[in-house]
Amino acid sequence: MEKQKHNGVKSTKLRTSFRGGLYYMWFKEFIRFLFNHFLYKKVYYIGTDKILPEGKSQVIVSDHQNCLVDAIAVMLSFKGPGRRPFFWARADIFAVNKLLEKYLRFLGLMPAFRMDHEGLEDVGKNTASFEESYHLLLNGQSVMIFPEAGHQDKRYLGHFTTGYTTMAFKTAEEGNWEKEIFILPVANHYTDYFGIRREMCVMFSEPISLKPYYELYKEKPRTAMREVNLLVRQVVSSMMLDIQDLDNYNSIDFLRTNYGKTFALLKKMPYKILPEKLEAEKAFVAALSSLEEDKKNEVYSFASSIRQRLEDFKLSFKSVGKRVAWPITILKILAMIALLPVWVFSLWPNWLLYNIPKKLTNRVKDKMLSSSFLLGLSAVITIPLFAIISFVIVWCVLTIYMAIAYVLLMPVLALFCWYYTEWWEGIKQDLRLLRFRKKLKITKFDTLKQDIEKLEDRLWALFKI
C-alpha cells in the first residue's frame, strides 16, 4: 500500500488488493440487509448483468437523486468478492467527523471538491482523487462519479460536468491507449426521498466503450469529451424520470403522482411494480410535454390550484375521494390504543435509531442527507451499540436466553414501531377529513372534489384516451 499527499489531502492507493477483504464483504452484506429490508421496502436491481467483470475498466456515471444512498445502491449491485466499486463523493461529508471519514474511506469513497460548494481554491485538491482513480482504472477497477456535481430533491437530470470524461481519457492516455475504458451509465429512482419503507430501483445500461473515440481525442480532445458527455447524458436521461420543465415542476409532479396510475390503466400499461410505474410515468410526463402550449398551461394552472387548496386544508389527494365515517375511525383508534403498550415497548431503541441521524442531518443543513446518515450511522454505530446495550440490560434483569431473544426480536420491533406511527398518521388524516367536512361548508369540499374529477376528464380528453 502506498500513501501520498497532494494539497493537504491524503490519498491511499491500494497496490495489493481491490476487493476490500473479508470484513468488507461481511459489512457489505450487513448494509445489504439494512438497505433491502429496513430502509427500503423493496429495491429493484435492473440490468446488473451489464456490469463488466473484474479486469475491465469502467467509469460508472449516474444521476444524483439521493446523496450517499445512490452510491450504496450501486455498491450493492456488485455481487461476489471479485468486484468492488470506488466512488467520488462530496468533500464536505468527509469533514463531519473523523469516524465518518474513516467509514467513507472504508466503503471506497474519495473526496470531490466542487467549485460551487468548496470554492475555487479547494478544487485543486481533486488531484489526489484523480490520481487514485487513474491507478484504479488502469488496474481494471470501477470508479463511480456523479457528473451533476450535486443533488436535488426533484426528479430531473442536471447539467453534466466533463470531469469524468477527462478522467477516462487521461487514464487511457496513461496506459498508452492500450487499455479499453468503458463508461457505464446508471440511473436511480425513488418513490420518496425521505423516511423509510419506501421503494427504489437502480438501473444499468449497456457500457459505452471509449476506444472508438481515442483517435478523435488525440486530435480534438474537447470534441471527443463533448460527444461522449452528450451520449452518456442522453442514456442516463432515458432511464430516469427527467422532468426538465422546472418552472412547472410542482404541477407536473402533482399530476404524475395522482393521475399517473389511471393514465397507465387507460393505456393498458403495466403498473404493479416500481420499474413498471416508472415507465408509465415517463410516458405520462412525455404526453403532458407534447400538449399545445396553451392547453398545457391551462392544465398546469388547474393542477396548481388544486394542489394549493389541498395544502391549505392539510388534506392528501387520496383522502378527498376516501370514504370515512366516525364509527370506523373510532374502532381504528380503539385498536391503536390496545396496541399502544407494544408501541411504547418498541420505542427502545428505535426512537433513538431514527432521531439521532436526523439531528446530524440538521447540523449539516442538507435534508437530502437524511437517508444517508440514517443508513450510515445505523450500520456503523447506533444499531451495534444499542444491540449490545439492550443485550446487557435484559441479561442483567432477566436471563441470557431472554437477552438473545430480545436482540433477535429487535428488527421486528423496529418495523412495528415504524408502521404503528404510519397508521396513526393515517388516522389523523381521517380525523382531519371528518373535521373538515364539519367545519367548512360542504360546498367547499364538493367543489374541490369536482375540480379533481374535472381535471382528470380534461386530461383524458387532451390525451384522446
Side-chain angles (χ1 to χ4, degrees):
M1 183 178 291
E2 179 181 319
K3 293 185 179 180
Q4 297 179 344
K5 266 196 173 184
H6 298 274
N7 298 319
V9 178
K10 185 167 64 177
S11 172
T12 302
K13 294 187 177 182
L14 304 175
R15 298 294 187 187
T16 54
S17 174
F18 299 99
R19 300 190 178 193
L22 187 60
Y23 182 70
Y24 173 83
M25 295 305 300
W26 287 346
F27 187 74
K28 179 180 172 182
E29 292 308 310
F30 179 49
I31 291 286
R32 188 190 306 280
F33 175 72
L34 296 178
F35 194 84
N36 291 352
H37 302 290
F38 288 91
L39 184 61
Y40 291 99
K41 182 168 60 177
K42 179 69 177 178
V43 181
Y44 298 88
Y45 299 93
I46 302 170
T48 54
D49 58 314
K50 308 292 194 305
I51 299 174
L52 295 172
E54 187 174 15
K56 298 285 186 179
S57 306
Q58 57 186 353
V59 178
I60 305 170
V61 176
S62 173
D63 62 339
H64 209 6
Q65 295 287 304
N66 205 350
C67 203
L68 183 60
V69 176
D70 293 333
I72 295 294
V74 171
M75 180 187 75
L76 297 179
S77 300
F78 282 64
K79 296 181 180 179
R83 211 68 166 109
R84 178 192 182 190
F86 295 81
F87 309 91
W88 281 55
R90 50 189 289 179
D92 59 337
I93 62 173
F94 287 79
V96 173
N97 57 58
K98 290 293 183 181
L99 183 61
L100 180 59
E101 181 185 1
K102 289 183 178 180
Y103 167 66
L104 296 174
R105 292 283 187 178
F106 169 72
L107 291 179
L109 272 66
M110 297 172 279
F113 295 88
R114 303 156 297 171
M115 186 180 300
D116 293 340
H117 296 79
E118 285 75 34
L120 181 61
E121 292 181 359
D122 283 341
V123 171
K125 295 178 181 179
N126 285 325
T127 302
S129 294
F130 267 112
E131 290 189 3
E132 189 169 347
S133 298
Y134 298 152
H135 173 69
L136 290 165
L137 291 169
L138 285 172
N139 282 273
Q141 298 303 307
S142 303
V143 175
M144 183 175 184
I145 194 167
F146 300 99
E148 291 172 277
H151 55 257
Q152 59 280 334
D153 60 350
K154 293 182 174 61
R155 294 169 174 83
Y156 70 89
L157 191 61
H159 172 73
F160 269 24
T161 61
T162 56
Y164 74 97
T165 58
T166 301
M167 176 199 303
F169 280 114
K170 285 290 185 182
T171 301
E173 187 175 15
E174 286 202 8
N176 296 317
W177 305 104
E178 296 175 1
K179 190 76 175 178
E180 185 173 16
I181 309 296
F182 293 87
I183 305 291
L184 181 63
V186 180
N188 298 278
H189 180 68
Y190 301 83
T191 55
D192 196 323
Y193 298 125
F194 309 105
I196 65 173
R197 307 301 294 160
R198 314 305 187 196
E199 293 188 358
M200 77 150 297
C201 57
V202 53
M203 299 151 282
F204 296 82
S205 183
E206 290 288 345
I208 299 169
S209 173
L210 293 190
K211 205 166 188 178
Y213 296 91
Y214 284 177
E215 292 304 317
L216 177 60
Y217 179 83
K218 293 175 186 178
E219 296 178 6
K220 300 178 179 179
R222 290 180 181 272
T223 301
M225 289 192 293
R226 186 166 55 249
E227 288 186 10
V228 170
N229 190 43
L230 179 62
L231 174 60
V232 173
R233 192 182 185 284
Q234 287 174 342
V235 174
V236 174
S237 175
S238 68
M239 290 190 287
M240 61 178 287
L241 181 60
D242 188 8
I243 303 175
Q244 285 294 316
D245 186 357
L246 299 183
D247 290 336
N248 296 295
Y249 180 89
N250 290 333
S251 294
I252 295 171
D253 198 54
F254 175 82
L255 292 165
R256 187 261 318 175
T257 303
N258 298 302
Y259 296 101
K261 181 178 181 179
T262 306
F263 173 84
L265 294 175
L266 291 173
K267 285 284 190 177
K268 297 182 179 179
M269 299 178 70
Y271 199 82
K272 290 184 178 180
I273 60 176
L274 184 58
E276 294 175 348
K277 294 176 182 178
L278 173 59
E279 292 304 313
E281 290 174 2
K282 283 162 59 178
F284 178 70
V285 171
L288 281 173
S289 300
S290 66
L291 294 175
E292 295 177 8
E293 201 65 27
D294 58 335
K295 294 177 181 177
K296 186 162 47 177
N297 290 334
E298 173 198 343
V299 169
Y300 292 162
S301 178
F302 204 177
S304 179
S305 171
I306 293 174
R307 185 177 66 86
Q308 188 59 57
R309 277 181 284 169
L310 286 170
E311 289 181 3
D312 292 342
F313 299 147
K314 296 182 180 180
L315 295 173
S316 67
F317 182 90
K318 291 181 180 179
S319 68
V320 175
K322 186 178 180 181
R323 292 183 178 180
V324 293
W326 278 110
I328 300 298
T329 304
I330 290 172
L331 286 175
K332 289 181 180 180
I333 293 172
L334 291 174
M336 296 298 284
I337 292 173
L339 291 171
L340 184 60
V342 183
W343 177 72
V344 172
F345 179 73
S346 71
L347 284 176
W348 171 266
N350 296 304
W351 186 89
L352 293 171
L353 291 176
Y354 187 73
N355 283 282
I356 289 175
K358 285 181 67 176
K359 292 291 184 181
L360 185 56
T361 304
N362 294 335
R363 177 183 170 186
V364 179
K365 296 180 181 179
D366 184 351
K367 63 179 181 178
M368 293 301 291
L369 281 168
S370 60
S371 296
S372 301
F373 284 149
L374 179 61
L375 178 64
L377 282 179
S378 296
V380 179
I381 301 175
T382 55
I383 288 180
L385 175 63
F386 285 113
I388 293 171
I389 292 173
S390 301
F391 179 84
V392 172
I393 291 174
V394 177
W395 186 8
C396 292
V397 175
L398 299 173
T399 66
I400 189 172
Y401 301 108
M402 293 296 290
I404 294 171
Y406 180 83
V407 172
L408 293 175
L409 194 63
M410 281 179 64
V412 178
L413 291 173
L415 291 177
F416 175 82
C417 186
W418 173 259
Y419 281 119
Y420 185 90
T421 305
E422 289 278 282
W423 295 333
W424 262 123
E425 289 300 318
I427 291 174
K428 284 165 62 178
Q429 185 71 204
D430 291 349
L431 290 171
R432 192 176 293 116
L433 185 58
L434 288 166
R435 290 199 305 270
F436 174 84
R437 288 176 174 176
K438 182 179 179 180
K439 184 177 178 181
L440 299 179
K441 293 181 180 178
I442 195 67
T443 52
K444 283 192 175 183
F445 182 80
D446 287 342
T447 300
L448 177 61
K449 190 174 181 180
Q450 289 166 10
D451 284 348
I452 289 174
E453 293 170 352
K454 284 180 184 178
L455 178 55
E456 184 172 354
D457 292 339
R458 182 61 175 151
L459 282 171
W460 310 150
L462 290 172
F463 293 157
K464 297 179 180 179
I465 54 177

